Amino acid sequence: MLSSLTFSLLSLLILTTPPSQALSPSTNDPATVCIIGSGIGGASLSYFLRHHSAGVGQIRVFERNGIVGGRMAIVSIAGETFEAGASILHPKNYHAANFTKLLNLTVKKPSLSSSSIGIWDGKRFLFKTLRSDSKFPFVQRIVSITNSILLFVRYGLSLLRMESFVESSLSRFLKYYESFESRPVFETVDEMLKWAGLYNITARTLQEELIDVGLSPLLIQELVTVITRINYGQSLSISGLAGAVSLAGSDGELWSIKGGNWQMAAGLLNHSDVELHLHEEIESVSYIGDYYELNSTKGNSYACQVTVVATPLDELNIRFTPPVSIPERKLQHTHTTFVRGLLNPVYFGLNAISEIPELVGTIEDPDIPFSSISVLKQHNEKDMTYKIFSREPMADTLLDHIFSTRRETIRINWAAYPRYNAPEVFAPFMLDGQHLYYVNAFENAASTMETSAVAAENVARLILSRFSGQVPSSSTNLKSSRSDGEDFHLDL
């Protein structure tokens, strides 16, 4: 799947250590930790284990692909790079913000947005905002204000109620950044959510939650649906918490890392001094007594006192001895299609390409073949790069109908998120009664880069407290404090 992706600079960030045939570790030595998966969950876990304790020994990270980053990846089109997987970060993603500072990565800040959006029902645009190609900030500002007025005229005070619902959920989530003195270590996702006051909104659908807070049916069926289809590829039946996270993903101050968000995972692994095994998939994990034996597709065996699964188990075939039990769930596949070419205005019932909004979102209708189409880059008037999200693959015949010209097409099938289904049931952080852990158990609450990091920090603390009796010092904890009414000062 990843063979079509183009990456750079990896060799400068990560050194791959040749695998070694490991024997049973001595219980007197520092703990050897094996992590399956090199995405943001596995990379964050490596960092937190090193950051919170000096008692962790060797950390081995296994990645079945030839590149780190998991569901963070980039593609290269017309000499430019674009996010192919997890692409956006919220202003209140404090772990990600601190990782970015720690690794000296460059933030790609959002420009003043005057991009137009349109809501497509398969036959016509139900709503469109204004589009401006002006480069003057003053003109962009005027267009942005006008579009805000247009949104308010259509959806009224429901927009403020939606914002209040999102802010309420985010304020509860911020409890996960509190000091260790006030924040316990959680053994289950259920207790982690209940402690923050978020559990109840995982038991009801987003639609139920939004009706209760007084959103209008028009806003729910149009704008909210567009957002959930873009961010999670799913409908209003997702849980309230996943929905709140999805709506937060429409914030105007979103950011990313210049050159690709995957660099965050690569940098954290390098910073944590791990032994990285690329192109090595773990086939079985067996508890021997004092340690776990991991067997890989390369015929290698590794002994680890602690083993952590930091990748979704739902579509993997790892054999566990003794067997482990987790709730069955389906993953929502998001088909991401990049097209360099030009949209066909006739397909949208329009006369000119300039009339097509830069972001085309869609309502929930099985006959609409895509969730969204957005302009990533305008190379010139007749050459643009687009990103399409869809639940099913986009066939060439369909693309030829939607586009008047196609110069380049790249397709990626992501097993992107859990298929949310309220009330949610959660896998445990501890897969057995010993030292086998599962970071991705938290994904059934919400799946983002930041929620993966939050879950990884909790699992790191859980490992340290259970394996060695160490309680990580709050002096090394991520801290945030208000410097004024709105801004947060972040300090490592």
Side-chain angles (χ1 to χ4, degrees), residues 73-78 80-85 87-88 108 111 115-116 131 135 230 256 336-341 343 357-360 372-380 383-389 403 408 410 412:
I74 58 173
V75 298
S76 179
I77 301 174
E80 302 222 18
T81 59
F82 304 100
E83 294 288 354
S87 58
I88 57 174
K108 188 176 180 181
S111 58
S115 298
S116 58
R131 175 173 177 171
K135 302 299 182 183
I230 291 173
S256 60
T336 305
T337 307
F338 295 86
V339 175
R340 183 183 177 190
L343 283 172
E358 290 152 294
L359 169 61
V360 178
S372 65
I373 301 177
S374 58
V375 177
L376 294 180
K377 178 75 174 182
Q378 180 172 348
H379 307 288
N380 57 55
D383 186 11
M384 302 187 192
T385 295
Y386 300 87
K387 186 178 188 178
I388 307 171
F389 287 144
F403 288 84
E408 186 176 0
I410 297 174
I412 302 170

Tab-separated table of all heavy atoms in Angstrom, residues 73-78 80-85 87-88 108 111 115-116 131 135 230 256 336-341 343 357-360 372-380 383-389 403 408 410 412:
chain	number	residue	atom	x	y	z
A	73	ALA	N	1.523	9.905	6.327
A	73	ALA	CA	2.319	9.678	5.118
A	73	ALA	C	2.121	10.836	4.158
A	73	ALA	O	1.186	11.634	4.301
A	73	ALA	CB	1.914	8.364	4.461
A	74	ILE	N	2.985	10.936	3.185
A	74	ILE	CA	2.883	11.985	2.172
A	74	ILE	C	2.959	11.390	0.775
A	74	ILE	O	3.429	10.277	0.579
A	74	ILE	CB	3.984	13.048	2.334
A	74	ILE	CG1	5.374	12.391	2.262
A	74	ILE	CG2	3.808	13.836	3.615
A	74	ILE	CD1	6.517	13.391	2.242
A	75	VAL	N	2.466	12.152	-0.188
A	75	VAL	CA	2.642	11.831	-1.594
A	75	VAL	C	3.313	13.024	-2.266
A	75	VAL	O	3.238	14.157	-1.773
A	75	VAL	CB	1.308	11.515	-2.312
A	75	VAL	CG1	0.643	10.292	-1.705
A	75	VAL	CG2	0.363	12.714	-2.264
A	76	SER	N	3.945	12.773	-3.385
A	76	SER	CA	4.600	13.833	-4.149
A	76	SER	C	3.929	13.944	-5.509
A	76	SER	O	3.833	12.964	-6.251
A	76	SER	CB	6.095	13.530	-4.318
A	76	SER	OG	6.720	14.550	-5.076
A	77	ILE	N	3.457	15.150	-5.820
A	77	ILE	CA	2.803	15.419	-7.102
A	77	ILE	C	3.318	16.756	-7.617
A	77	ILE	O	3.315	17.751	-6.880
A	77	ILE	CB	1.267	15.472	-6.965
A	77	ILE	CG1	0.713	14.140	-6.425
A	77	ILE	CG2	0.614	15.809	-8.303
A	77	ILE	CD1	-0.770	14.165	-6.140
A	78	ALA	N	3.766	16.758	-8.841
A	78	ALA	CA	4.261	17.980	-9.489
A	78	ALA	C	5.327	18.667	-8.653
A	78	ALA	O	5.387	19.898	-8.562
A	78	ALA	CB	3.102	18.938	-9.766
A	80	GLU	N	5.654	18.743	-5.468
A	80	GLU	CA	5.205	19.204	-4.161
A	80	GLU	C	4.730	18.020	-3.340
A	80	GLU	O	4.272	17.004	-3.880
A	80	GLU	CB	4.063	20.217	-4.315
A	80	GLU	CG	4.451	21.414	-5.158
A	80	GLU	CD	3.928	22.712	-4.569
A	80	GLU	OE1	3.575	22.740	-3.378
A	80	GLU	OE2	3.879	23.681	-5.324
A	81	THR	N	4.836	18.132	-2.007
A	81	THR	CA	4.392	17.058	-1.132
A	81	THR	C	3.066	17.431	-0.478
A	81	THR	O	2.834	18.593	-0.128
A	81	THR	CB	5.421	16.767	-0.027
A	81	THR	OG1	5.639	17.954	0.750
A	81	THR	CG2	6.735	16.297	-0.631
A	82	PHE	N	2.205	16.421	-0.334
A	82	PHE	CA	0.907	16.613	0.284
A	82	PHE	C	0.657	15.477	1.275
A	82	PHE	O	1.108	14.345	1.069
A	82	PHE	CB	-0.211	16.619	-0.774
A	82	PHE	CG	-0.032	17.642	-1.855
A	82	PHE	CD1	0.476	17.284	-3.092
A	82	PHE	CD2	-0.364	18.978	-1.629
A	82	PHE	CE1	0.641	18.220	-4.099
A	82	PHE	CE2	-0.190	19.923	-2.626
A	82	PHE	CZ	0.307	19.545	-3.869
A	83	GLU	N	-0.082	15.786	2.345
A	83	GLU	CA	-0.419	14.767	3.324
A	83	GLU	C	-1.378	13.757	2.695
A	83	GLU	O	-2.405	14.121	2.142
A	83	GLU	CB	-1.074	15.388	4.559
A	83	GLU	CG	-0.159	16.287	5.364
A	83	GLU	CD	0.907	15.522	6.138
A	83	GLU	OE1	0.869	14.281	6.151
A	83	GLU	OE2	1.785	16.182	6.726
A	84	ALA	N	-1.010	12.485	2.849
A	84	ALA	CA	-1.851	11.420	2.326
A	84	ALA	C	-2.662	10.752	3.425
A	84	ALA	O	-3.674	10.115	3.163
A	84	ALA	CB	-1.004	10.370	1.613
A	85	GLY	N	-2.202	10.863	4.666
A	85	GLY	CA	-2.906	10.253	5.780
A	85	GLY	C	-3.342	11.315	6.770
A	85	GLY	O	-3.952	12.316	6.394
A	87	SER	N	-3.590	14.427	8.571
A	87	SER	CA	-3.069	15.651	7.967
A	87	SER	C	-3.183	16.899	8.814
A	87	SER	O	-2.490	17.883	8.550
A	87	SER	CB	-3.781	15.902	6.632
A	87	SER	OG	-5.186	16.006	6.830
A	88	ILE	N	-4.054	16.913	9.841
A	88	ILE	CA	-4.288	18.162	10.549
A	88	ILE	C	-4.100	17.989	12.055
A	88	ILE	O	-4.330	16.920	12.612
A	88	ILE	CB	-5.703	18.717	10.280
A	88	ILE	CG1	-6.780	17.686	10.657
A	88	ILE	CG2	-5.834	19.147	8.829
A	88	ILE	CD1	-8.188	18.211	10.551
A	108	LYS	N	3.621	24.344	9.766
A	108	LYS	CA	2.995	24.898	8.568
A	108	LYS	C	1.724	25.596	9.025
A	108	LYS	O	0.706	24.969	9.295
A	108	LYS	CB	2.687	23.775	7.564
A	108	LYS	CG	2.217	24.253	6.206
A	108	LYS	CD	2.029	23.062	5.276
A	108	LYS	CE	1.546	23.497	3.902
A	108	LYS	NZ	1.341	22.319	3.024
A	111	SER	N	-2.998	29.809	6.444
A	111	SER	CA	-3.112	31.170	5.918
A	111	SER	C	-4.519	31.677	6.211
A	111	SER	O	-5.421	30.934	6.561
A	111	SER	CB	-2.857	31.185	4.405
A	111	SER	OG	-3.773	30.325	3.748
A	115	SER	N	-11.135	30.376	1.404
A	115	SER	CA	-11.504	29.267	0.532
A	115	SER	C	-13.011	29.072	0.560
A	115	SER	O	-13.654	29.192	1.606
A	115	SER	CB	-10.810	27.978	0.975
A	115	SER	OG	-9.417	28.112	0.880
A	116	SER	N	-13.556	28.772	-0.581
A	116	SER	CA	-14.997	28.577	-0.680
A	116	SER	C	-15.363	27.131	-0.404
A	116	SER	O	-14.589	26.210	-0.678
A	116	SER	CB	-15.480	28.974	-2.078
A	116	SER	OG	-14.801	28.217	-3.069
A	131	ARG	N	-16.045	32.708	-3.300
A	131	ARG	CA	-14.669	32.341	-3.627
A	131	ARG	C	-13.908	33.588	-4.059
A	131	ARG	O	-14.431	34.422	-4.793
A	131	ARG	CB	-14.650	31.302	-4.746
A	131	ARG	CG	-13.271	30.925	-5.241
A	131	ARG	CD	-13.341	29.768	-6.222
A	131	ARG	NE	-12.029	29.441	-6.762
A	131	ARG	CZ	-11.779	28.362	-7.502
A	131	ARG	NH1	-12.757	27.512	-7.772
A	131	ARG	NH2	-10.565	28.132	-7.960
A	135	LYS	N	-4.911	37.863	-3.875
A	135	LYS	CA	-3.766	37.627	-2.992
A	135	LYS	C	-3.666	38.681	-1.891
A	135	LYS	O	-2.812	38.580	-1.020
A	135	LYS	CB	-2.470	37.617	-3.819
A	135	LYS	CG	-2.448	36.583	-4.943
A	135	LYS	CD	-2.589	35.163	-4.398
A	135	LYS	CE	-2.505	34.142	-5.537
A	135	LYS	NZ	-2.713	32.764	-5.038
A	230	ILE	N	-16.016	14.052	5.966
A	230	ILE	CA	-14.644	14.397	5.597
A	230	ILE	C	-13.654	13.837	6.615
A	230	ILE	O	-12.658	13.206	6.258
A	230	ILE	CB	-14.470	15.918	5.474
A	230	ILE	CG1	-15.242	16.454	4.261
A	230	ILE	CG2	-12.998	16.299	5.363
A	230	ILE	CD1	-15.262	17.967	4.157
A	256	SER	N	-0.111	21.849	10.609
A	256	SER	CA	0.568	20.594	10.266
A	256	SER	C	2.070	20.863	10.291
A	256	SER	O	2.514	21.970	10.603
A	256	SER	CB	0.124	20.086	8.896
A	256	SER	OG	0.428	21.031	7.883
A	336	THR	N	-8.356	7.477	-0.441
A	336	THR	CA	-7.854	8.810	-0.762
A	336	THR	C	-7.293	8.791	-2.180
A	336	THR	O	-6.380	8.023	-2.480
A	336	THR	CB	-6.752	9.230	0.226
A	336	THR	OG1	-7.263	9.122	1.557
A	336	THR	CG2	-6.310	10.654	-0.029
A	337	THR	N	-7.858	9.629	-3.025
A	337	THR	CA	-7.452	9.691	-4.422
A	337	THR	C	-6.933	11.089	-4.741
A	337	THR	O	-7.634	12.077	-4.521
A	337	THR	CB	-8.625	9.360	-5.363
A	337	THR	OG1	-9.208	8.111	-4.986
A	337	THR	CG2	-8.161	9.280	-6.814
A	338	PHE	N	-5.699	11.145	-5.213
A	338	PHE	CA	-5.110	12.412	-5.632
A	338	PHE	C	-5.161	12.497	-7.154
A	338	PHE	O	-4.750	11.549	-7.841
A	338	PHE	CB	-3.661	12.524	-5.166
A	338	PHE	CG	-3.502	12.566	-3.669
A	338	PHE	CD1	-3.428	11.399	-2.923
A	338	PHE	CD2	-3.425	13.788	-3.007
A	338	PHE	CE1	-3.283	11.442	-1.550
A	338	PHE	CE2	-3.276	13.838	-1.631
A	338	PHE	CZ	-3.207	12.663	-0.900
A	339	VAL	N	-5.651	13.607	-7.644
A	339	VAL	CA	-5.749	13.793	-9.091
A	339	VAL	C	-5.135	15.135	-9.464
A	339	VAL	O	-5.491	16.175	-8.883
A	339	VAL	CB	-7.213	13.745	-9.588
A	339	VAL	CG1	-7.279	14.065	-11.078
A	339	VAL	CG2	-7.833	12.382	-9.307
A	340	ARG	N	-4.203	15.076	-10.401
A	340	ARG	CA	-3.696	16.313	-10.990
A	340	ARG	C	-4.389	16.481	-12.324
A	340	ARG	O	-4.265	15.645	-13.221
A	340	ARG	CB	-2.185	16.254	-11.172
A	340	ARG	CG	-1.603	17.563	-11.720
A	340	ARG	CD	-0.113	17.471	-11.975
A	340	ARG	NE	0.380	18.704	-12.558
A	340	ARG	CZ	1.601	18.858	-13.064
A	340	ARG	NH1	2.473	17.851	-13.012
A	340	ARG	NH2	1.974	20.012	-13.595
A	341	GLY	N	-5.153	17.542	-12.450
A	341	GLY	CA	-5.937	17.759	-13.667
A	341	GLY	C	-6.877	18.924	-13.461
A	341	GLY	O	-6.529	19.931	-12.851
A	343	LEU	N	-11.269	19.707	-12.776
A	343	LEU	CA	-12.638	19.230	-12.620
A	343	LEU	C	-13.497	19.638	-13.809
A	343	LEU	O	-13.230	20.640	-14.485
A	343	LEU	CB	-13.255	19.800	-11.337
A	343	LEU	CG	-12.830	19.162	-10.012
A	343	LEU	CD1	-13.380	19.971	-8.831
A	343	LEU	CD2	-13.289	17.720	-9.928
A	357	PRO	N	-16.762	25.294	-5.936
A	357	PRO	CA	-16.088	25.640	-4.671
A	357	PRO	C	-14.782	24.875	-4.521
A	357	PRO	O	-14.605	23.781	-5.062
A	357	PRO	CB	-17.108	25.212	-3.604
A	357	PRO	CG	-18.425	25.190	-4.322
A	357	PRO	CD	-18.121	24.775	-5.725
A	358	GLU	N	-13.871	25.457	-3.761
A	358	GLU	CA	-12.565	24.815	-3.560
A	358	GLU	C	-12.665	23.578	-2.661
A	358	GLU	O	-11.803	22.708	-2.706
A	358	GLU	CB	-11.588	25.828	-2.974
A	358	GLU	CG	-11.195	26.902	-3.984
A	358	GLU	CD	-10.812	28.212	-3.330
A	358	GLU	OE1	-11.682	28.852	-2.720
A	358	GLU	OE2	-9.622	28.585	-3.428
A	359	LEU	N	-13.703	23.519	-1.851
A	359	LEU	CA	-14.012	22.315	-1.087
A	359	LEU	C	-15.452	21.936	-1.358
A	359	LEU	O	-16.376	22.711	-1.070
A	359	LEU	CB	-13.815	22.545	0.415
A	359	LEU	CG	-14.350	21.443	1.340
A	359	LEU	CD1	-13.656	20.108	1.077
A	359	LEU	CD2	-14.219	21.833	2.804
A	360	VAL	N	-15.632	20.762	-1.924
A	360	VAL	CA	-16.968	20.235	-2.189
A	360	VAL	C	-17.240	19.132	-1.171
A	360	VAL	O	-16.628	18.069	-1.206
A	360	VAL	CB	-17.089	19.676	-3.620
A	360	VAL	CG1	-18.486	19.085	-3.841
A	360	VAL	CG2	-16.791	20.759	-4.648
A	372	SER	N	-15.796	13.975	-0.284
A	372	SER	CA	-15.368	15.352	-0.509
A	372	SER	C	-14.349	15.414	-1.629
A	372	SER	O	-13.669	14.429	-1.935
A	372	SER	CB	-14.752	15.948	0.768
A	372	SER	OG	-13.557	15.263	1.107
A	373	ILE	N	-14.260	16.581	-2.236
A	373	ILE	CA	-13.206	16.905	-3.207
A	373	ILE	C	-12.679	18.281	-2.830
A	373	ILE	O	-13.449	19.231	-2.671
A	373	ILE	CB	-13.728	16.935	-4.656
A	373	ILE	CG1	-14.329	15.591	-5.056
A	373	ILE	CG2	-12.600	17.318	-5.613
A	373	ILE	CD1	-14.923	15.583	-6.462
A	374	SER	N	-11.375	18.396	-2.678
A	374	SER	CA	-10.802	19.687	-2.307
A	374	SER	C	-9.604	20.010	-3.179
A	374	SER	O	-8.888	19.116	-3.642
A	374	SER	CB	-10.375	19.683	-0.835
A	374	SER	OG	-9.435	18.658	-0.585
A	375	VAL	N	-9.383	21.290	-3.414
A	375	VAL	CA	-8.218	21.766	-4.155
A	375	VAL	C	-7.033	21.850	-3.200
A	375	VAL	O	-7.091	22.537	-2.184
A	375	VAL	CB	-8.486	23.147	-4.779
A	375	VAL	CG1	-7.228	23.651	-5.479
A	375	VAL	CG2	-9.650	23.086	-5.757
A	376	LEU	N	-5.961	21.138	-3.517
A	376	LEU	CA	-4.742	21.215	-2.717
A	376	LEU	C	-3.791	22.273	-3.243
A	376	LEU	O	-3.121	22.957	-2.471
A	376	LEU	CB	-4.029	19.857	-2.708
A	376	LEU	CG	-4.752	18.695	-2.020
A	376	LEU	CD1	-3.896	17.443	-2.102
A	376	LEU	CD2	-5.061	19.033	-0.570
A	377	LYS	N	-3.732	22.389	-4.548
A	377	LYS	CA	-2.779	23.319	-5.156
A	377	LYS	C	-3.252	23.710	-6.547
A	377	LYS	O	-3.625	22.847	-7.343
A	377	LYS	CB	-1.396	22.665	-5.261
A	377	LYS	CG	-0.324	23.510	-5.914
A	377	LYS	CD	0.177	24.618	-4.993
A	377	LYS	CE	1.357	25.365	-5.592
A	377	LYS	NZ	1.880	26.400	-4.675
A	378	GLN	N	-3.240	24.998	-6.826
A	378	GLN	CA	-3.519	25.468	-8.182
A	378	GLN	C	-2.195	25.813	-8.846
A	378	GLN	O	-1.533	26.776	-8.488
A	378	GLN	CB	-4.444	26.685	-8.172
A	378	GLN	CG	-4.746	27.194	-9.572
A	378	GLN	CD	-5.811	28.277	-9.599
A	378	GLN	OE1	-6.493	28.497	-8.609
A	378	GLN	NE2	-5.940	28.958	-10.731
A	379	HIS	N	-1.788	24.968	-9.799
A	379	HIS	CA	-0.520	25.189	-10.498
A	379	HIS	C	-0.665	26.307	-11.530
A	379	HIS	O	0.209	27.150	-11.668
A	379	HIS	CB	-0.070	23.893	-11.162
A	379	HIS	CG	-0.019	22.728	-10.198
A	379	HIS	ND1	0.944	22.629	-9.222
A	379	HIS	CD2	-0.818	21.637	-10.067
A	379	HIS	CE1	0.739	21.507	-8.519
A	379	HIS	NE2	-0.325	20.908	-9.014
A	380	ASN	N	-1.775	26.298	-12.250
A	380	ASN	CA	-2.154	27.383	-13.145
A	380	ASN	C	-3.652	27.242	-13.401
A	380	ASN	O	-4.319	26.411	-12.784
A	380	ASN	CB	-1.335	27.380	-14.453
A	380	ASN	CG	-1.448	26.061	-15.194
A	380	ASN	OD1	-2.549	25.594	-15.511
A	380	ASN	ND2	-0.309	25.432	-15.474
A	383	ASP	N	-4.500	23.628	-14.472
A	383	ASP	CA	-3.748	22.524	-13.861
A	383	ASP	C	-3.809	22.662	-12.335
A	383	ASP	O	-3.245	23.597	-11.769
A	383	ASP	CB	-2.299	22.542	-14.345
A	383	ASP	CG	-1.508	21.340	-13.856
A	383	ASP	OD1	-2.128	20.399	-13.315
A	383	ASP	OD2	-0.272	21.342	-14.010
A	384	MET	N	-4.503	21.730	-11.683
A	384	MET	CA	-4.650	21.753	-10.235
A	384	MET	C	-4.439	20.347	-9.673
A	384	MET	O	-4.565	19.350	-10.388
A	384	MET	CB	-6.042	22.257	-9.822
A	384	MET	CG	-6.399	23.638	-10.327
A	384	MET	SD	-7.960	24.223	-9.637
A	384	MET	CE	-8.283	25.665	-10.684
A	385	THR	N	-4.127	20.292	-8.389
A	385	THR	CA	-4.045	19.019	-7.692
A	385	THR	C	-5.203	18.952	-6.699
A	385	THR	O	-5.397	19.875	-5.900
A	385	THR	CB	-2.719	18.852	-6.945
A	385	THR	OG1	-1.656	18.802	-7.904
A	385	THR	CG2	-2.706	17.562	-6.137
A	386	TYR	N	-5.951	17.866	-6.765
A	386	TYR	CA	-7.137	17.672	-5.934
A	386	TYR	C	-6.948	16.448	-5.034
A	386	TYR	O	-6.197	15.519	-5.350
A	386	TYR	CB	-8.392	17.434	-6.791
A	386	TYR	CG	-8.745	18.537	-7.740
A	386	TYR	CD1	-8.194	18.598	-9.022
A	386	TYR	CD2	-9.676	19.518	-7.386
A	386	TYR	CE1	-8.537	19.594	-9.915
A	386	TYR	CE2	-10.031	20.526	-8.280
A	386	TYR	CZ	-9.453	20.559	-9.543
A	386	TYR	OH	-9.804	21.540	-10.428
A	387	LYS	N	-7.669	16.473	-3.910
A	387	LYS	CA	-7.706	15.335	-2.993
A	387	LYS	C	-9.161	14.914	-2.818
A	387	LYS	O	-10.018	15.737	-2.481
A	387	LYS	CB	-7.101	15.730	-1.638
A	387	LYS	CG	-6.946	14.589	-0.634
A	387	LYS	CD	-6.279	15.129	0.642
A	387	LYS	CE	-5.912	14.038	1.617
A	387	LYS	NZ	-5.217	14.581	2.815
A	388	ILE	N	-9.419	13.629	-3.048
A	388	ILE	CA	-10.776	13.096	-2.956
A	388	ILE	C	-10.828	12.074	-1.835
A	388	ILE	O	-9.984	11.180	-1.759
A	388	ILE	CB	-11.211	12.430	-4.277
A	388	ILE	CG1	-11.013	13.379	-5.451
A	388	ILE	CG2	-12.667	11.972	-4.205
A	388	ILE	CD1	-11.214	12.721	-6.803
A	389	PHE	N	-11.830	12.184	-0.960
A	389	PHE	CA	-12.122	11.153	0.026
A	389	PHE	C	-13.377	10.407	-0.415
A	389	PHE	O	-14.370	11.031	-0.809
A	389	PHE	CB	-12.373	11.760	1.410
A	389	PHE	CG	-11.145	12.270	2.095
A	389	PHE	CD1	-11.204	13.418	2.888
A	389	PHE	CD2	-9.929	11.622	1.975
A	389	PHE	CE1	-10.079	13.900	3.540
A	389	PHE	CE2	-8.789	12.097	2.616
A	389	PHE	CZ	-8.877	13.239	3.393
A	403	PHE	N	-13.811	14.623	-13.930
A	403	PHE	CA	-12.725	15.501	-14.377
A	403	PHE	C	-12.753	15.642	-15.899
A	403	PHE	O	-12.983	14.668	-16.619
A	403	PHE	CB	-11.373	14.944	-13.944
A	403	PHE	CG	-11.110	15.057	-12.464
A	403	PHE	CD1	-11.584	14.104	-11.582
A	403	PHE	CD2	-10.396	16.136	-11.959
A	403	PHE	CE1	-11.352	14.210	-10.219
A	403	PHE	CE2	-10.155	16.255	-10.594
A	403	PHE	CZ	-10.647	15.295	-9.722
A	408	GLU	N	-2.394	12.945	-13.732
A	408	GLU	CA	-1.783	12.014	-12.780
A	408	GLU	C	-2.820	11.623	-11.747
A	408	GLU	O	-3.611	12.457	-11.282
A	408	GLU	CB	-0.577	12.681	-12.102
A	408	GLU	CG	0.223	11.750	-11.203
A	408	GLU	CD	1.464	12.427	-10.628
A	408	GLU	OE1	1.690	13.606	-10.940
A	408	GLU	OE2	2.198	11.753	-9.877
A	410	ILE	N	-3.216	9.133	-8.114
A	410	ILE	CA	-2.625	8.280	-7.087
A	410	ILE	C	-3.748	7.838	-6.158
A	410	ILE	O	-4.522	8.672	-5.673
A	410	ILE	CB	-1.533	9.007	-6.289
A	410	ILE	CG1	-0.371	9.401	-7.206
A	410	ILE	CG2	-1.028	8.141	-5.136
A	410	ILE	CD1	0.687	10.251	-6.517
A	412	ILE	N	-4.856	5.609	-2.627
A	412	ILE	CA	-4.412	5.015	-1.368
A	412	ILE	C	-5.635	4.533	-0.608
A	412	ILE	O	-6.616	5.272	-0.460
A	412	ILE	CB	-3.629	6.020	-0.504
A	412	ILE	CG1	-2.419	6.559	-1.272
A	412	ILE	CG2	-3.172	5.374	0.797
A	412	ILE	CD1	-1.744	7.715	-0.596
